[in-house]
Amino acid sequence: RAVAIRTSVYYSRRLCIGEMTTAPLGDTMKRMHLNWRLIGIHAVIIFALTVVGGFLVGFVGGFFGSGMPIYALAISNLISASAGFAYSAYKVSEKRWAHLGAVALVLWLMSLINPLLGLATFGEWVLSLIALIFFMVIGGGVGALIAKRA
């Protein structure tokens, strides 16, 4: 009886802020119901968009003999990643921002290939999370607005 009461109190105790509970993290993750297969697909789509955008910038820069200016790559990444996040936000209606955050995290982990191949330093890879969050917010906002109007 004492164990049942203690367990009941543990699972039903409320914090002072809103309706947050002190349920274990595993229970919280079960309630989130994120579709990890879809998260992986969206991360691969965004990764492919940024790779294609970088390739096009390099190709066009090489064609005109100007090399690959860093601002052109930055604009390419802004457009392609934001477009990918907008698509992801449009396709997911429930728990949109949790889904986008998970996509950003998976995408960031996928981009670990850059320092491993010597295309970026480890510090640049760590700091790229800031840019990725920025792209997620822009693309997620645009996708959410489009989804509302559709």
Side-chain angles (χ1 to χ4, degrees):
R1 172 112 173 108
V3 173
I5 291 172
R6 206 174 312 137
T7 304
S8 174
V9 169
Y10 178 75
Y11 284 105
S12 63
R13 185 182 312 147
R14 304 277 183 211
L15 296 177
C16 294
I17 303 171
E19 290 292 316
M20 294 177 65
T21 65
T22 57
L25 182 60
D27 290 347
T28 303
M29 293 304 288
K30 287 177 189 172
R31 284 193 307 258
M32 287 182 74
H33 298 294
L34 292 177
N35 185 344
W36 289 99
R37 181 177 175 274
L38 190 60
I39 288 168
I41 291 170
H42 287 170
V44 168
I45 288 171
I46 296 169
F47 191 81
L49 286 172
T50 58
V51 168
V52 169
F55 174 78
L56 289 175
V57 167
F59 181 76
V60 170
F63 182 72
F64 289 110
S66 63
M68 201 164 38
I70 195 72
Y71 63 86
L73 279 175
I75 291 171
S76 168
N77 279 339
L78 171 67
I79 293 170
S80 58
S82 296
F85 277 112
Y87 170 78
S88 182
Y90 176 78
K91 295 300 275 184
V92 175
S93 59
E94 290 185 11
K95 297 178 180 65
R96 179 175 286 132
W97 290 102
H99 176 84
L100 292 176
V103 169
L105 180 63
V106 170
L107 185 60
W108 183 61
L109 292 174
M110 288 172 63
S111 71
L112 184 58
I113 191 79
N114 291 327
L116 294 177
L117 294 177
L119 301 173
T121 66
F122 184 73
E124 290 170 341
W125 173 74
V126 170
L127 290 176
S128 72
L129 183 59
I130 297 169
L132 201 54
I133 291 170
F134 178 71
F135 301 153
M136 179 193 74
V137 169
I138 290 174
V142 169
L145 287 174
I146 292 171
K148 265 189 179 175
R149 294 177 186 236

